[in-house]
Amino acid sequence: MVEITLGTALAAVGAGIAIAFAGFGSAIAQGNVAAASVGAVAEKPEMFARGIIFTALPETQAIYGFLIGILVIVFSGILGGGKGLGTTGGIIALSAGLAIGVAGFGSAIAQGNVAAGSVGAVTEQPEMFARGIIFTALPETQAIYGFLIAILLLVGGVMGGG
Amino acid sequence: MFLPARMRKLKIITFEKYTDPVIRSLHEEGITQIDDISERIQEDPQWGQLLKPSKPTPQTGKIASLLMRTTGIIDFMDSLITHKKKITETIKEFLNPPIPKKRKVEELDSESLIMKAEEELSKVESTIKTLESRLNQLEAERGELESKISLWEKLVDFDINFTDITESKYITAIIGKMPIEKFKKAPEKIKEITDEFALFDMETEPPTERKIFLITLKKHEDTIATLLRRMDLERFEIAGLKGIPSKIIQKSKERLEEIHEERKNTIKEVEKIKNEWEEELLILREQLEIEKERNEIYAAFGETENTVMLEAWTPLKDCEKAEKIIRTASKGHCVIEREKPDGSHDSVPTLLENPRFAKPFETLIKMYSPPKYNEYDPTVFMAIVLPFFFGFCLTDAFYGILDALVGFILYRGPGKVNSFMRSFGIIFMACGTWAFILGMITNGFLGDFFPRFLNINLPTVIPLIDAFKEPQNVLLMALITGVLHINFGLIVGARNNIKMGNFREAMGSQIVWIILELGILLLAMGWLFKLFPLMVAGGGVAVLGVILLVYYNGLFGLIDASGFLGTILSYSRLLALCLSTGGMAMTVNIVTGICADFIPIIGVALAPIVFVFGHIANDTFQSLGAFIHSLRLHYVEFFSQFFMGGKRGFNPFSAERKLTKIER
């Protein structure tokens, strides 16, 4: 069993925040897109596959949150046992969780809105699919920033001996 | 292989009398796409001087009307007669669908087909119309009876003959229900109007209300009714009702039963006609649909007094065949000019042409957008990489076997009659195979089934990329995969742009990124191996990359750098999905273990159920996720490096024959 230090506990909170916020945002966003897709499929059954693709897009933030959560758990030694993480390392891991959690939350909500709009556009004009995908991918940038900072924090801080 | 099929435009002029055989032959062959030139004739004065736009043939309207009548009869019969299939029958039919036999039919011209359709419809339509109208009458009568019963049921508690009331000159009845509280005050209030009334009441639903029956003189009806309405009376309309409620209800119900029987018998008659005529009508419908298309296509042509001109896009490989068909059909009375697409390629339809293994993936490209005529067709790249990405996301050997098996069933079962199913069957088989291979080397077989239940490790596992023990290595592998994938896209994009003469676009959108990456790679290698000259060289290349980036894209190019980084980081989803599949599978195994170890007796029976259904559910959801995210990595990350698309696909003028074949 791992020794529970303050650092380990902070890292655990960080892992939780990472997936909780990012997942929360993704869930709301996917709900909106799924609702729009159901309407679209009712009108045009051939929209099913495209609706699923648009609905899946705002899942990325949850995936990033999940990934950072896993990396925090692995790097902080929560799973592996042994000596606990130092307080500084714990704060860094918490920051990593916050970075992706909060950025992912906002990004997911925004992406959900665009994706829902794109579903409507594609229902009207099927050739809008490619452009809809491109527009929907744009609000993902903020989640990528959060994800990048989280990775850098983990690599530099926790893995680097924090 | 990497470009859409080369196309040629065939400009055809023939005599008016040979147009019909030419159209018929081209329609049966289905290798050309007819271009509409009528608009050009109307808009371009030069063309307008030579030609006038053709119109659909005079028979088009008649054929459309016959088609509507035929479809109407088929739909009517289908709406009445539905065979409920047993679940086993449905599964059997799905796994081994019957292949419709094509019936040989004589090649008929429009007039002959119209005559044949008229003759066939005359035999069946009048009988069907009679039956349809009988059913409509029965349906209407049933509706009337049901509403009658519903009204009489409200009055059934009053065992009187309503004829006495509704036909009386002097008295009238007000019947309805009202809240008990208000009912108690009603007699007093009515007495303020008149004493000439009798009021009866009885229990009703809900218990807070009371059903009332008030008899009074006709002259007081309006005043009392207004008063009671103010007291929340819900009045039952009895005007015109005759007879005793219970008897009328009984009679109506008897008639309803008769109607039910009559309806059943009529449907049996329809079924008999369906059995006798369905095949003929379906064949007739197909023939009429094809004939309608042939007659409507004339609107896309231009004509002079004796000649007709049409233009048809044809794949280069089929040009000779198409020309031969036209010459034979017109007995040589034609002029055919083969024209290369002009420089803009704006009007050229895109026909994807790929090797057999990549064909099924064309569906996914078409769903995104068909490529431009001179643009690289990414189908082959996708056919190679998408199954690998799927395997990476799923990374479970057993799930891979299951998916490949599902693919095989789709391919051999419904794939026999449905090309979409056949395509997805092949895609699933490829995806499943990769999931199996990657699962075997990253320690994924029903999650941690081997170490947990059998206390052994998979012998094929490469410890360095054991997904659960060394996720950072798998993450690195995912990112390297991303870098390779993106760079491949950049190279293709650069070649595409240079080929089209867009050198500046190639530099700004693709080559600068390759230079920048090269610089960073050299820098990293120099730092890793402590080679100072390599670091300097890397730094130099990276600076050059930044300068070129700003030169070609302005200062916004620097912002694009974060986007580019994000594109590569997006490939980390490969690891995340891989871990989520393994994690969920592990959870199913843990719950199975808990069931078996901690729940007495039932647990032993419950554990296999949890295990089987848990893993089936996990495989289903994770496979769906893996497929969609693999698709996304192509649509969003890969295609954005080079693929523009946005063209209309090749839509051949083709007679779709599912039930018929021409007797020659």
Side-chain angles (χ1 to χ4, degrees):
Chain A
M1 199 42 204
V2 64
E3 180 193 331
I4 302 291
T5 60
L6 179 60
T8 313
L10 287 171
V13 174
I17 285 174
I19 184 57
F21 277 83
F24 184 29
S26 270
I28 294 173
Q30 282 199 307
N32 289 339
V33 193
S37 300
V38 167
V41 173
E43 206 177 307
K44 285 189 181 171
E46 65 272 18
M47 273 296 294
F48 181 68
R50 291 169 185 211
I52 283 192
I53 291 170
F54 277 114
T55 308
L57 288 179
E59 196 179 312
T60 308
Q61 292 77 3
I63 292 173
Y64 289 158
F66 173 72
L67 197 58
I68 292 298
I70 292 276
L71 290 177
V72 166
I73 290 169
V74 172
F75 292 153
S76 60
I78 294 174
L79 277 184
K83 210 173 166 231
L85 190 67
T87 309
T88 317
I91 291 171
I92 291 171
L94 175 62
S95 310
L98 273 169
I100 184 57
V102 178
F105 178 78
S107 159
I109 302 280
Q111 196 168 41
N113 291 339
V114 189
S118 298
V119 168
V122 177
T123 314
E124 288 289 316
Q125 284 188 340
E127 58 273 25
M128 277 294 293
F129 181 66
R131 275 167 271 180
I133 290 261
I134 293 164
F135 276 117
T136 308
L138 290 180
E140 210 173 286
T141 317
Q142 289 73 14
I144 291 167
Y145 292 156
F147 182 58
L148 181 64
I149 292 298
I151 291 264
L152 291 176
L153 280 171
L154 289 179
V155 172
V158 183
M159 283 177 82
Chain B
M1 177 166 82
F2 295 112
L3 285 174
R6 300 296 84 192
M7 305 294 283
R8 292 292 179 266
K9 187 188 264 185
L10 300 183
K11 291 183 168 179
I12 306 147
I13 299 173
T14 185
F15 286 115
E16 195 256 326
K17 63 173 179 176
Y18 293 117
T19 315
D20 187 56
V22 167
I23 291 305
R24 280 176 192 281
S25 308
L26 287 177
H27 201 213
E28 287 300 335
E29 206 56 43
I31 52 174
T32 56
Q33 177 182 310
I34 307 281
D35 226 17
D36 190 345
I37 60 168
S38 60
E39 218 170 277
R40 199 191 314 155
I41 296 168
Q42 280 166 341
E43 285 169 6
D44 189 330
Q46 267 187 323
W47 278 80
Q49 275 179 353
L50 297 168
L51 298 163
K52 60 175 185 174
S54 299
K55 286 178 188 153
T57 64
Q59 291 93 341
T60 313
K62 184 73 190 163
I63 294 169
S65 143
L66 287 166
L67 177 62
M68 230 159 73
R69 280 162 63 190
T70 314
T71 309
I73 295 173
I74 294 169
D75 290 349
F76 168 70
M77 293 192 302
D78 285 348
S79 68
L80 286 177
I81 296 136
T82 45
H83 293 290
K84 277 187 186 170
K85 285 179 194 163
K86 283 180 195 168
I87 188 120
T88 45
E89 273 178 334
T90 314
I91 294 170
K92 222 170 153 185
E93 209 166 277
F94 176 78
L95 295 177
N96 191 17
I99 299 167
K101 278 185 186 164
K102 287 188 179 182
R103 192 204 282 184
K104 278 187 183 174
V105 289
E106 203 185 337
E107 188 159 17
L108 298 170
D109 59 23
S110 299
E111 286 298 340
S112 311
L113 182 65
I114 290 172
M115 274 168 63
K116 181 197 164 192
E118 292 276 19
E119 195 189 321
E120 281 191 11
L121 288 176
S122 70
K123 284 180 198 161
V124 68
E125 201 174 30
S126 58
T127 326
I128 281 287
K129 286 284 168 206
T130 315
L131 294 174
E132 189 179 359
S133 101
R134 193 194 300 167
L135 279 170
N136 286 342
Q137 277 172 5
L138 290 173
E139 200 56 36
E141 195 185 346
R142 189 172 67 103
E144 269 174 35
L145 282 171
E146 277 173 356
S147 43
K148 199 171 165 187
I149 290 172
S150 130
L151 176 63
W152 281 111
E153 271 174 348
K154 289 175 186 170
L155 308 170
V156 76
D157 298 325
F158 307 110
D159 192 21
I160 57 164
N161 190 339
F162 275 72
T163 319
D164 298 340
I165 296 167
T166 52
E167 288 187 356
S168 165
K169 277 185 185 173
Y170 306 104
I171 60 158
T172 187
I174 297 172
I175 304 168
K177 60 179 182 177
M178 62 195 297
I180 286 184
E181 290 308 312
K182 299 215 169 148
F183 165 73
K184 282 177 186 165
K185 293 173 191 163
E188 262 180 51
K189 295 267 184 191
I190 298 167
K191 269 180 194 166
E192 286 172 16
I193 298 168
T194 177
D195 285 336
E196 295 165 324
F197 73 93
L199 180 62
F200 308 96
D201 67 290
M202 58 191 63
E203 285 176 357
T204 185
E205 282 300 323
T208 50
E209 296 198 340
R210 206 79 186 156
K211 198 183 273 183
I212 66 159
F213 187 105
L214 181 137
I215 298 176
T216 184
L217 293 176
K218 268 201 169 160
K219 61 181 179 181
H220 300 305
E221 182 184 3
D222 291 343
T223 336
I224 296 174
T226 312
L227 169 76
L228 291 176
R229 205 176 303 122
R230 280 199 210 113
M231 298 175 83
D232 296 338
L233 173 80
E234 185 198 322
R235 191 174 175 183
F236 304 152
E237 194 47 63
I238 58 161
L241 294 186
K242 286 171 188 168
I244 300 163
S246 56
K247 284 187 179 163
I248 287 177
I249 289 171
Q250 192 194 348
K251 243 179 160 179
S252 301
K253 283 187 175 168
E254 280 167 11
R255 177 63 192 141
L256 269 181
E257 271 177 35
E258 280 169 24
I259 287 174
H260 182 70
E261 274 308 305
E262 276 178 49
R263 196 171 179 276
K264 232 164 80 178
N265 292 335
T266 314
I267 290 174
K268 265 185 195 163
E269 281 181 57
V270 175
E271 193 171 4
K272 213 171 134 191
I273 294 172
K274 189 182 177 187
N275 290 338
E276 192 182 338
W277 281 95
E278 190 181 31
E279 201 184 330
E280 294 299 328
L281 288 171
L282 288 172
I283 284 170
L284 180 64
R285 182 168 70 177
E286 186 171 285
Q287 285 180 296
L288 286 168
E289 276 169 352
I290 291 170
E291 202 57 34
K292 186 170 162 262
E293 264 181 40
R294 283 174 185 170
N295 282 272
E296 280 173 345
I297 199 70
Y298 279 76
F301 306 159
E303 62 182 19
T304 63
E305 203 172 320
N306 294 314
T307 62
V308 170
M309 177 179 175
L310 61 141
E311 290 183 356
W313 284 107
T314 313
L316 182 58
K317 64 178 169 63
D318 293 327
C319 276
E320 272 186 30
K321 192 177 180 187
E323 286 170 4
K324 196 179 162 192
I325 287 168
I326 296 162
R327 285 204 180 92
T328 314
S330 64
K331 296 181 180 161
H333 296 95
C334 64
V335 178
I336 306 170
E337 194 180 293
R338 206 189 280 192
E339 190 182 271
K340 263 188 165 184
D342 59 17
S344 68
H345 301 136
D346 278 346
S347 57
V348 196
T350 304
L351 171 67
L352 302 183
E353 200 174 45
N354 287 290
R356 240 178 106 192
F357 81 93
K359 275 266 168 223
F361 292 83
E362 284 179 358
T363 315
L364 304 175
I365 299 290
K366 283 180 197 159
M367 188 160 76
Y368 185 80
S369 175
K372 289 184 175 169
Y373 182 64
N374 253 7
E375 192 178 16
Y376 283 110
D377 167 12
T379 311
V380 172
F381 313 135
M382 204 171 186
I384 296 166
V385 181
L386 188 126
F388 171 71
F389 280 0
F390 178 93
F392 205 144
C393 292
L394 198 64
T395 341
D396 191 287
F398 192 82
Y399 291 175
I401 295 170
L402 277 185
D403 288 354
L405 198 67
V406 170
F408 182 73
I409 291 168
L410 287 179
Y411 176 69
R412 291 301 299 265
K416 281 196 289 193
V417 288
N418 184 329
S419 60
F420 182 79
M421 288 287 187
R422 187 166 53 240
S423 294
F424 268 85
I426 295 170
I427 293 174
F428 277 0
M429 280 193 275
C431 289
T433 309
W434 270 111
F436 172 77
I437 295 168
L438 291 172
M440 290 304 278
I441 60 174
T442 58
N443 200 12
F445 192 102
L446 288 171
D448 57 349
F449 177 82
F450 275 91
R452 181 173 295 276
F453 295 117
L454 306 176
N455 282 326
I456 51 166
N457 280 319
L458 276 173
T460 47
V461 174
I462 301 171
L464 210 60
I465 50 169
D466 185 329
F468 273 92
K469 288 181 186 149
E470 308 288 348
Q472 66 280 15
N473 291 347
V474 185
L475 177 62
L476 199 64
M477 205 170 112
L479 294 178
I480 290 170
T481 307
V483 170
L484 294 174
H485 198 219
I486 292 296
N487 277 284
F488 187 68
L490 288 175
I491 292 166
V492 174
R495 275 199 64 176
N496 224 355
N497 277 324
I498 291 168
K499 213 172 134 193
M500 287 196 250
N502 302 330
F503 183 74
R504 198 182 162 83
E505 180 67 21
M507 281 301 292
S509 298
Q510 284 106 15
I511 297 173
V512 287
W513 298 114
I514 297 174
I515 296 172
L516 208 59
E517 280 179 281
L518 187 70
I520 293 167
L521 182 73
L522 291 176
L523 252 173
M525 281 171 68
W527 179 73
L528 208 67
F529 299 111
K530 312 275 182 249
L531 293 170
F532 186 68
L534 201 60
M535 277 177 78
V536 173
V541 176
V543 170
L544 176 71
V546 172
I547 292 168
L548 288 174
L549 184 67
V550 175
Y551 177 73
Y552 283 107
N553 299 328
L555 281 173
F556 281 111
L558 295 174
I559 300 172
D560 281 352
S562 62
F564 186 74
L565 195 61
T567 303
I568 291 168
L569 283 176
S570 184
Y571 285 80
S572 63
R573 76 186 62 232
L574 294 173
L575 163 73
L577 290 165
C578 147
L579 288 181
S580 100
T581 309
M584 288 301 291
M586 205 160 77
T587 311
V588 173
N589 292 341
I590 291 169
V591 175
T592 305
I594 291 172
C595 282
D597 296 340
F598 296 104
I599 304 176
I601 306 163
I602 312 166
V604 182
L606 198 62
I609 297 171
V610 170
F611 184 78
V612 171
F613 284 98
H615 280 298
I616 287 175
N618 191 31
D619 181 26
T620 309
F621 290 118
Q622 302 295 346
S623 296
L624 183 69
F627 190 77
I628 288 170
H629 285 282
S630 308
L631 207 55
R632 177 231 148 91
L633 284 175
H634 281 83
Y635 283 172
V636 181
E637 277 77 17
F638 184 56
F639 285 179
S640 62
Q641 308 310 321
F642 70 99
F643 188 61
M644 284 173 272
K647 285 304 291 183
R648 59 188 180 127
F650 179 69
N651 184 17
F653 176 59
S654 168
E656 205 180 325
R657 293 195 183 274
K658 287 180 183 161
L659 304 168
T660 59
K661 58 181 172 186
I662 291 289
E663 197 171 29
R664 290 189 192 275

